[in-house]
Amino acid sequence: MSFRSPIGLASAVLMTAGGWAIAGSDVMLVGSARIVDGDTVQIGNSKIRLEGIDAPETDQLCLDAQGEKWECGIEARDHLRSRAGNQEWVCRVSGPDRYGRSLASCTVDGENINRWMVATGWALSFVRYSHDYDVGRQMARTAHGVLGGGAFIA
């Protein structure tokens, strides 16, 4: 989708419920999000990958510090739902990922949800693509974050 205007969009804002908002050169998605997993949500018809973080998939298992299996993907999704479900999300889109989803940094009630997921230990900073959430990763490690105390099972 492309947006053009003969007069430019330097200060224009277009907002639709569950849709796009354009302010200047930024593309925003605003609305209630359906939470797919710990790093993927959907607003309207737009799938959004939370940029710079990596959370376990819903069918993924992890091992805890004692070597016991647990459903870390479901728990990561459920913790995100309890924090930010049924609220308005504001997502600043930086571009598409290789699967066509919108890569975005999102806030709920003014809090950066990408950062919250890492700082609370339900996602990892995805250092292959970004270092935006490395501080949150260090905080979670220091506090023995949820995903930092064991291992992922692929």
Side-chain angles (χ1 to χ4, degrees):
M1 178 177 256
S2 113
F3 298 92
R4 294 191 180 154
S5 168
I7 59 171
L9 294 172
S11 62
V13 176
L14 167 67
M15 299 187 94
T16 61
W20 293 87
I22 306 165
S25 61
D26 296 330
V27 175
M28 310 285 276
L29 290 169
V30 178
S32 179
R34 182 177 71 83
I35 298 170
V36 177
D37 62 27
D39 57 24
T40 307
V41 300
Q42 185 168 339
I43 296 176
N45 292 326
S46 300
K47 273 202 167 178
I48 301 164
R49 173 68 159 78
L50 299 179
E51 188 171 27
I53 71 169
D54 194 24
E57 300 301 318
T58 51
D59 62 352
Q60 190 167 0
L61 297 175
C62 292
L63 297 176
D64 65 18
Q66 291 74 40
E68 297 293 321
K69 290 181 184 176
W70 63 290
E71 296 176 325
C72 56
I74 290 172
E75 289 202 35
R77 179 202 62 203
D78 290 351
H79 276 80
L80 180 57
R81 281 182 178 165
S82 70
R83 166 59 188 91
N86 299 321
Q87 297 183 53
E88 183 175 85
W89 286 56
V90 177
C91 298
R92 182 177 306 274
V93 177
S94 66
D97 72 1
R98 63 183 176 165
Y99 302 108
R101 299 173 295 189
S102 297
L103 287 168
S105 177
C106 300
T107 60
V108 171
D109 292 330
E111 181 174 29
N112 183 302
I113 292 298
N114 306 46
R115 179 168 282 111
W116 180 86
M117 285 294 288
V118 174
T120 57
W122 291 107
L124 303 173
S125 177
F126 207 168
V127 297
R128 178 177 178 188
Y129 297 106
S130 171
H131 291 282
D132 290 346
Y133 304 107
D134 290 354
V135 170
R137 181 177 76 161
Q138 294 302 334
M139 288 171 43
R141 280 186 180 169
T142 301
H144 304 291
V146 178
L147 297 178
F152 293 97
I153 301 173

